[in-house]
Amino acid sequence: MRKHIAVLIAASFALALGLTGCSSSSGDDSQGLVKLQMVESLTNPARTELIRGLLKDFEKEHPNIKVELISPPTEQADQKIQQMLQSGSGVDVLEVRDLTVGPFSNNGWLYDMAPDLKNWDGFDKLTNQAQKFTVNADGKSYFIPYGFYGLSLFYRTDLVKQAGFEGAPKSWEELTEQAAKIQSPAQNRYGYAFRGGPNSAGQLMSILEAYNADNLDIANAYKVKSGKTIFATPESKTALDKYVELYKTGSPESSVSWGYAEMVQGFTNGSTAFLLQDPEVIATVKESSLSEDQWGVAPNPVGPTGKAAWPMATAGWGVTQFSKHKTEAVELVKWLAGDSSTTFAKENSLVPILQAAGEDEFFKTGPWAAYVEMTSNPDTWISVEEPRGVAWWTEWMQRSEADLQKVLLNQMTASQMLSGWDKFWTEKWQG
């Protein structure tokens, strides 16, 4: 569902980060200067430069603290960070993602900042989603998000108008209707940039969760409140039938195997009218041949009850359990969650964490307005979590892609697919 940036930096990680060197460079000097070591994981050169600039601003406001940023190549980052954490020294602040917070905290590597944040005035300035991830259901605080990835509907304003509609579709029902009306293969014009290839489950889950929105387990959106899997409900069968209709009546036939790149290309080259994707695509569309008046971004389509789920992918900054400078490390994390977080969100195409960002013209108007609308209306776009950290996630993604393609190609019925998925997840959870 999402495409993290993965650009190699030129400097050798081994040169920048010998574990022994990390351990020796952190600490105090004779003049009382506290030295913190901070490591990022989603590294790319522009992002690293941005973070370094923010850290310089922090150091100006905190002259007693010096921060050294470590930037391993993205492909190796999680492994290298784990090695550093296993060593028990050398890191004070680190990048924590929704995919890593579970194993990191279970191993006792992350410091619970909850007591330090009790009197932090910055907490009330965070959006509902950001507060939820800052303090988890157990009352623990292992990281403060710096932003979110979340789906929204990119749409062609000109094609929607030409088809006789007043605006972007608000529901999956309307999306299917508009896509079918716009569809014209003879003119190389299609309604929806369908995702039937790699990681297709993410987009399918969007419609399943929207149709089950009133009954979802928000802590695990693959379940409903009864404890059963989402795949066992009649609402999911209705949703899947609608999704198959969207493919067959309003999507390119070849999109049965489309992944991220093909979807985005289909929208930016003008051949498809709708695209469900993360905010990072905004920059891509702006650089495409489409003019500003040809496209826009709308909130996630809702289900029959007027609600949708919004599974948010996120990451942020946390503190290691073994840091010798927890007070200063927490101060850095809190500072990064302040006004500087909006700058970070702008530069990295992230949904911002501060309520005040909704009043920033950058987010208030244009393509970002849809994200502000969703974060401002959490009762309509319900923030949920998906079980992306389970050990069988890769197995699930491979199976779901293969099964969905079989349904789209009439090699499997929708009921057979959902029944198989219900059995798969039920057995996995029973262990």
Side-chain angles (χ1 to χ4, degrees):
M1 184 172 73
R2 55 197 52 78
K3 170 174 161 271
H4 289 310
I5 299 170
V7 180
L8 292 175
I9 58 173
S12 165
F13 179 78
L15 185 61
L17 175 65
L19 292 180
T20 303
C22 289
S23 178
S24 63
S25 63
S26 179
D28 301 335
D29 65 10
S30 59
Q31 298 179 349
L33 181 67
V34 174
K35 296 180 180 179
L36 299 178
Q37 294 234 140
M38 174 177 172
V39 59
E40 60 172 327
S41 62
L42 299 175
T43 308
N44 74 72
R47 183 183 195 263
T48 298
E49 182 179 356
L50 171 64
I51 295 175
R52 291 189 189 282
L54 295 176
L55 293 179
K56 286 183 179 179
D57 292 338
F58 172 79
E59 291 172 344
K60 289 178 182 178
E61 296 181 23
H62 302 80
N64 64 314
I65 304 175
K66 177 72 175 177
V67 186
E68 178 184 352
L69 179 66
I70 302 165
S71 304
T74 301
E75 289 90 345
Q76 306 168 20
D78 286 344
Q79 180 181 356
K80 295 298 183 182
I81 290 174
Q82 183 167 320
Q83 291 174 358
M84 296 166 72
L85 293 171
Q86 288 173 333
S87 77
S89 64
V91 185
D92 299 288
V93 176
L94 75 164
E95 188 165 4
V96 182
R97 310 206 311 275
D98 52 4
L99 295 177
T100 60
V101 64
F104 285 3
S105 60
N106 289 338
N107 282 310
W109 295 333
L110 298 180
Y111 172 64
D112 177 15
M113 298 183 288
D116 305 82
L117 302 181
K118 282 186 177 179
N119 298 317
W120 177 46
D121 59 5
F123 184 81
D124 291 335
K125 298 177 182 179
L126 300 176
T127 62
N128 177 272
Q129 285 85 356
Q131 290 181 2
K132 177 181 176 181
F133 281 93
T134 297
V135 180
N136 66 23
D138 296 325
K140 305 291 186 180
S141 184
Y142 292 121
F143 73 103
I144 301 178
Y146 52 57
F148 295 92
Y149 298 90
L151 294 177
S152 63
L153 185 66
F154 291 72
Y155 69 102
R156 286 284 300 276
T157 53
D158 52 350
L159 295 181
V160 167
K161 185 176 181 179
Q162 289 171 21
F165 299 101
E166 295 183 359
K170 297 180 180 179
S171 67
W172 282 97
E173 182 73 35
E174 291 180 3
L175 173 58
T176 305
E177 177 189 1
Q178 291 195 19
K181 185 71 176 295
I182 291 171
Q183 181 100 329
S184 179
Q187 297 176 285
N188 192 35
R189 189 177 68 221
Y190 301 90
Y192 183 68
F194 196 90
R195 186 168 195 162
N199 299 315
S200 57
Q203 305 225 337
L204 170 58
M205 291 307 300
S206 184
I207 188 170
L208 297 188
E209 289 165 359
Y211 275 61
N212 287 276
D214 288 330
N215 196 32
L216 281 180
D217 178 349
I218 62 173
N220 182 351
Y222 277 39
K223 289 184 178 182
V224 290
K225 293 176 181 177
S226 68
K228 294 183 178 180
T229 79
I230 190 175
F231 309 111
T233 71
E235 289 83 2
S236 289
K237 174 59 167 58
T238 302
L240 180 55
D241 287 343
K242 180 60 61 178
Y243 199 55
V244 173
E245 179 187 347
L246 176 60
Y247 168 72
K248 293 187 174 180
T249 66
S251 305
E253 187 174 349
S254 60
S255 63
V256 67
S257 60
W258 280 13
Y260 174 88
E262 293 85 359
M263 295 171 65
V264 175
Q265 184 179 16
F267 185 80
T268 56
N269 68 17
S271 61
T272 58
F274 300 107
L275 171 70
L276 196 65
Q277 261 303 337
D278 291 324
E280 64 188 37
V281 176
I282 291 175
T284 304
V285 179
K286 285 184 175 180
E287 295 173 357
S288 73
S289 61
L290 298 179
S291 59
E292 289 187 5
D293 61 350
Q294 284 185 295
W295 67 283
V297 179
N300 271 2
V302 299
T305 63
K307 299 177 183 178
W310 203 20
M312 303 294 288
T314 189
W317 304 111
V319 175
T320 62
Q321 180 62 44
F322 50 77
S323 171
K324 296 180 180 179
H325 304 286
K326 292 186 177 68
T327 299
E328 292 82 3
V330 171
E331 184 61 29
L332 172 57
V333 172
K334 291 193 295 186
W335 187 89
L336 289 168
D339 292 339
S340 63
S341 69
T342 301
T343 300
F344 190 76
K346 288 179 180 179
E347 296 294 328
N348 288 281
S349 288
L350 297 167
V351 178
I353 64 171
L354 296 184
Q355 298 176 34
E359 298 303 316
D360 189 308
E361 286 300 313
F362 181 89
F363 293 108
K364 193 175 182 180
T365 59
W368 281 99
Y371 297 94
V372 174
E373 181 178 352
M374 288 188 283
T375 55
S376 300
N377 294 278
D379 292 334
T380 299
W381 289 277
I382 304 167
S383 178
V384 300
E385 296 180 50
E386 293 181 339
R388 297 172 184 150
V390 296
W392 58 88
W393 187 253
T394 299
E395 179 186 356
W396 158 244
M397 295 306 284
Q398 293 171 344
R399 171 173 179 161
S400 58
E401 176 189 343
D403 286 353
L404 177 59
Q405 288 179 343
K406 289 178 182 177
V407 171
L408 297 176
L409 297 173
N410 299 316
Q411 298 171 356
M412 177 187 287
T413 68
S415 295
Q416 286 173 333
M417 186 183 84
L418 290 173
S419 177
W421 289 3
D422 174 51
K423 181 180 179 181
F424 174 86
W425 280 95
T426 299
E427 291 179 349
K428 290 292 188 182
W429 279 324
Q430 289 177 346

